[in-house]
Amino acid sequence: MMNEKVGSIAGQIWTALSEKGALNGKDLKKAAKLKTDKELCLGLGWLLREGKINVTEDGKEILVSLI
């Protein structure tokens, strides 16, 4: 059940990035309509493992984009 939830969250993140382009963590969380930082981290981990996103650090912020 948790795999399905995390997969769904990853899909929301991918869709938001596809529609809006590269986003920082705060804006991505909002665009993907996620409720918690935990959801964001789980979804990002899933997409990173699949090799579908780039995550770079810009000072204290992260910038996430599709590959």
Side-chain angles (χ1 to χ4, degrees), residues 2-64:
M2 185 61 149
N3 281 351
E4 290 176 17
K5 182 176 180 180
V6 176
S8 176
I9 290 168
Q12 290 172 245
I13 291 171
W14 191 92
T15 299
L17 292 170
S18 177
E19 291 174 355
K20 300 192 180 277
L23 294 169
N24 66 32
K26 180 180 175 184
D27 292 339
L28 179 54
K29 182 178 162 185
K30 183 177 178 180
K33 299 178 180 144
L34 302 176
K35 296 175 185 155
T36 66
D37 289 340
K38 179 180 172 182
E39 288 178 334
L40 179 63
C41 290
L42 287 168
L44 289 176
W46 180 291
L47 292 168
L48 279 167
R49 180 76 174 166
E50 290 187 342
K52 298 195 178 198
I53 59 171
N54 280 322
V55 178
T56 55
E57 203 170 8
D58 183 23
K60 292 185 179 186
E61 290 284 331
I62 61 167
L63 185 63
V64 183

